[in-house]
């Protein structure tokens, strides 16, 4: 139908457990078997085990009505006793061999990853000499700092003062296929950092490293903090994604959050960025103004970046409740032929060991498709369903609509 629109919202890392291959993925030496981001947060809140001592159920009535609890039960058998849903829901399973941002988003957009990602060893140094030499060449420095696995917030506390003194960039990685470079916006320069990461990215992409990420920060020793000027230089998807399908049909594709970075701007007409609260305002505006026939594709990253990696159960719970309340105010604004899907790209269980993503199934919660149990679906079926709703050709997956 010509007046159909689609809104695809990725609440980053809100997994629901039950990935059949979770035993192949690890946090430290512990396999991800049994991780359940949303289910374990709900249980911790009900038991008063969140860090702020809160008790009582996790208050997410909008997501509950869309089928969040039913999707958890479908994925794992865990029954949280939440009300029966009034929306359509499913549990989606990933086939790409990664539990990272590009793998999840590309597959949701119809393109599973056809290769194994390159990751760096948990050694110091972590990066090969030729990579380190290239960074130094591009940065104009004699060396780099860290050169190992590290937390993004801890690494600037540990190396920030030395970075300001020497000018050497702080380079670190994680279990994901990523090389991150942190630098001070004033002492090193934001433009210089972005130029460094952009110039380095082709070398890393040739190695099948998924992303080079610029991580700017500000402040003084003891009070360094990251800014919102992060930029991801991601490897391009290996084939056209949902964004390209929609744009190729002459429709608009508007991206919210880091979607533009994830897809290397392929198939995207407009990008709006900011903190999650700002992104929600952008979403509200686009519900009012997005043209007929188009796609709005959003990522809300703070579930993952601020709470999942930091294993902050209380913060994660509060952010879920914030998102749920905001979404509840937006749903009545949707037009009769709009489709809105809430899903996730992977898990990041804040009750789990370690500090990395967890391999999980993800919820697929649908507003605008009636009340149905859609069962188990594939990530690529999300793309096929959005394409079917918009009436554009799909190149992979099966529509569940």
């Amino acid at each position: 139908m010509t007046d159909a629109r689609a809104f695809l919202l990725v609440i980053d890392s809100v997994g629901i457990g039950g990935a059949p291959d979770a035993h192949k993925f690890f946090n430290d030496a512990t396999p991800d078997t049994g991780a359940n981001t949303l289910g374990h947060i709900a249980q911790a809140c009900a038991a008063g085990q969140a860090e702020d001592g809160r008790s009582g159920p996790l208050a997410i009535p909008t997501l509950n009505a869309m089928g969040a609890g039913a999707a958890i039960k479908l994925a794992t058998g865990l029954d949280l006793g939440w009300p029966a849903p009034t929306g359509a829901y499913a549990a989606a399973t990933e086939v790409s061999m990664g539990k990272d941002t590009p793998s999840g988003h590309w597959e949701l957009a119809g393109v599973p990853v056809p290769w194994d990602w390159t990751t760096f060893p948990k050694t110091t140094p972590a990066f090969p000499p030729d990579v380190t030499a290239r960074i130094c060449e591009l940065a104009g420095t004699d060396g780099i700092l860290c050169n190992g696995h590290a937390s993004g917030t801890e690494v600037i506390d540990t190396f920030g003062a030395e970075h300001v003194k020497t000018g050497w960039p702080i380079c670190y990685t994680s279990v994901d296929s990523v090389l991150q470079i942190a630098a001070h916006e004033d002492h090193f320069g934001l433009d210089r950092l972005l130029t460094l990461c952009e110039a380095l990215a082709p070398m890393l992409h040739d190695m099948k490293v998924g992303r080079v990420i610029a991580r700017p920060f500000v402040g003084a020793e003891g009070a360094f903090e990251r800014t919102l000027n992060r930029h991801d230089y991601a490897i391009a998807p290996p084939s056209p994604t949902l964004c390209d399908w929609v744009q190729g049909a002459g429709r608009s594709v508007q991206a919210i959050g880091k979607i533009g970075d994830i897809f290397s701007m392929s198939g995207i007409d407009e990008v709006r960025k900011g903190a999650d609260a700002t992104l929600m305002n952008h979403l509200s505006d686009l519900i009012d103004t997005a043209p007929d026939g188009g796609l709005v594709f959003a990522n809300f990253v703070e579930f993952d970046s601020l709470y999942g990696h930091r294993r902050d159960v209380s913060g994660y719970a509060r952010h879920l409740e914030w998102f749920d309340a905001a979404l509840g105010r937006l749903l009545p604004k949707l037009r009769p032929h709009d489709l809105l899907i809430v899903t996730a790209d992977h898990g990041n269980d804040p009750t789990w060991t370690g500090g990395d993503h967890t391999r999980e199934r993800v919820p697929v919660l649908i507003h605008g498709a009636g009340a149905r149990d859609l069962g188990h679906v594939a990530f690529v079926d999300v793309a096929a369903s959005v394409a079917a709703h918009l009436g554009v050709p799909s190149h992979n997956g099966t529509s569940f609509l």
Side-chain angles (χ1 to χ4, degrees), residues 88 339 341 366 368-369 372 374 384-390 398-401:
L339 177 76
I341 298 177
I366 307 165
R372 287 183 283 167
L374 299 170
S385 301
V386 171
H389 176 74
L390 296 177
T398 302
S399 173
F400 45 66
L401 297 178

Side-chain angles (χ1 to χ4, degrees), residues 18-290:
D21 57 359
H23 62 283
K24 299 179 181 178
F25 297 82
F26 292 83
N27 264 268
D28 296 333
T30 303
D32 288 345
T33 307
N36 186 339
T37 300
L38 185 55
H40 287 165
I41 292 169
Q43 289 180 318
C45 290
Q49 294 172 345
E51 290 87 343
D52 58 5
R54 56 175 291 162
S55 61
L58 180 68
I60 51 171
T62 303
L63 294 173
N64 281 351
M66 294 178 71
I72 292 172
K73 186 175 181 180
L74 183 63
T76 67
L78 174 63
D79 187 350
L80 295 169
W82 288 352
T86 57
Y89 63 92
T93 305
E94 184 177 10
V95 299
S96 300
M97 289 306 293
K99 50 175 181 176
D100 53 82
T101 294
S103 297
H105 282 79
W106 290 1
E107 195 166 326
L108 288 169
V111 180
V113 179
W115 55 67
D116 290 333
W117 294 110
T118 295
T119 58
F120 297 106
K122 285 192 173 182
T123 58
T124 303
F127 305 121
D130 58 336
V131 171
T132 301
R134 180 61 174 158
I135 297 170
C136 292
E137 177 187 358
L138 293 170
T141 60
D142 295 327
I144 63 174
L145 300 174
C146 185
N147 199 346
H149 284 237
S151 158
T153 51
E154 293 175 358
V155 77
I156 59 175
D157 291 337
T158 302
F159 295 99
E162 188 176 357
H163 161 74
V164 169
K165 180 180 178 180
T166 64
W168 291 10
I170 306 168
C171 303
Y172 61 103
T173 188
S174 69
V175 295
D176 290 340
S177 181
V178 64
L179 190 156
Q180 306 196 62
I181 303 181
H184 199 286
E185 288 195 0
D186 299 323
H187 295 280
F188 189 88
L190 176 59
D191 289 343
R192 182 183 172 197
L193 172 62
L194 298 178
T195 299
L196 164 61
C197 292
E198 183 177 20
L200 178 66
M203 177 185 188
L204 275 293
H205 295 166
D206 287 344
M207 297 167 58
K208 292 297 185 285
V209 174
R211 290 177 291 167
V212 175
I213 304 179
R215 286 288 198 175
F217 64 96
V218 295
E221 184 174 2
F224 292 124
E225 59 181 26
R226 297 196 294 193
T227 74
L228 294 175
N229 292 320
R230 162 184 172 159
H231 192 92
D232 293 37
Y233 296 90
I235 190 172
S239 60
T241 71
L242 172 65
C243 302
D244 302 295
W245 309 348
V246 174
Q247 192 183 67
R251 315 289 183 81
S252 71
V253 179
Q254 286 149 315
I256 296 175
K258 63 179 184 177
I259 295 297
D261 295 343
I262 295 167
F263 291 93
S264 299
M265 289 303 297
S266 178
I268 293 171
D269 296 299
E270 177 191 6
V271 174
R272 302 190 184 193
K273 290 191 172 185
D276 276 7
T278 301
L279 301 184
M280 189 62 74
N281 291 334
H282 291 321
L283 176 60
S284 178
D285 178 60
L286 288 172
I287 287 176
D288 293 335
T289 63

Side-chain angles (χ1 to χ4, degrees), residues 371-395:
R372 287 183 283 167
D373 176 355
L374 299 170
H376 289 273
V377 302
F379 272 40
V380 293
D381 295 341
V382 174
S385 301
V386 171
H389 176 74
L390 296 177
V392 304
S394 168
H395 298 257

